[in-house]
Amino acid sequence: MQESVVAASSAGQVRGLIKLMRPKQWVKNGFVLAPLVFSGEFLQKDAILQALLAVVLFCLASSATYIVNDLRDIERDRSHPVKSKSRPLAAGIVSPAAAVALLLALYALLIVGWLMVPKVVAVIFGYMLLNLAYTFVLKHQPVVDIFTIAIGFVLRVYAGAVALSVPVSSWMFVTTLCLALYLAAVKRRQELSKSGAGAREVLGKYTLSLVDRYAEISATGALLFYSMFVMSTKPDLVMTVPLVLFGLFRYWYVVEALDGGESPTDALLADWQLLLTVVAWGGVCMWALWPGMPA
């Protein structure tokens, strides 16, 4: 009986450690693959392996930043109605000592990654430093907090480009920035709408109308810059513009009508139309950029 209790406790600890890493959020690291698609190297074995390695390393880094954030906010999360149950540290499923041990293991793996692909990991270290600043200072600064989140997505794209040693169009950078600003603004909007200003210190400095305008400006910018990017550098991708437009419309519908958007990852995975749009966009991009495909 005692052995079964110990085994159940150990299994719960393992599940808690996995949850602490937030593997569902690794979907965001798909941005690392954007240069692989747009460079047309998605049929090259070496390029695919390098891009996937960059994704894996970014997953390790993002998990490490989540652990640092949860350790920093453990007391605050314990008083939150949702996070007190959903966050393993706040819920008492995982001890701080176990979390620190996992964090050190992730750092060790990143050091190994640095020995393999130092330029990629240099970008990832920049991402981690930015997130450390976010955890301790920047997330309390209005507007700066949204831009910090967005820059993290830009660094993902840049890491993918560095992994392949390919240049990235300025249009891609500014499009990624605008799209990420849109997602971050919507996230703040939903946090403010659902939990009020008490959920985060910075939310008290926003209003719903303000973050709505931020989201609208960012979505417009993302569509505009993506369209300019396509027409100026990748005209074969003009057929993807309606998919991007539909995706923006559908995401806003998920936010307004279905009350999603507080977690962009959850919104994507929970709405089949949104998920299908992203898959279709990726498929059309690969078809249009397939080597040897006639213009």
Side-chain angles (χ1 to χ4, degrees), residues 39 78 109 143 180:
S39 66
R78 282 172 177 164
L109 290 173
V143 182

Side-chain angles (χ1 to χ4, degrees), residues 186 189-190 212 250-261:
V186 169
R189 179 198 186 279
Q190 292 303 85
D212 274 343
R250 181 66 191 181
Y251 190 79
W252 197 257
Y253 174 81
V254 170
V255 171
E256 283 284 334
L258 305 182
D259 204 25

Side-chain angles (χ1 to χ4, degrees), residues 20 26 34 121 159 208 257 280 287:
L20 188 64
W26 291 347
V121 177
L208 284 175
W287 177 81

Side-chain angles (χ1 to χ4, degrees), residues 35 50 117-121 123 156-166 168:
Q50 289 298 312
V117 281
K119 292 182 179 179
V120 174
V121 177
V123 178
R156 287 174 168 91
V157 173
Y158 184 52
V162 171
L164 302 178
S165 299
V166 298
V168 179

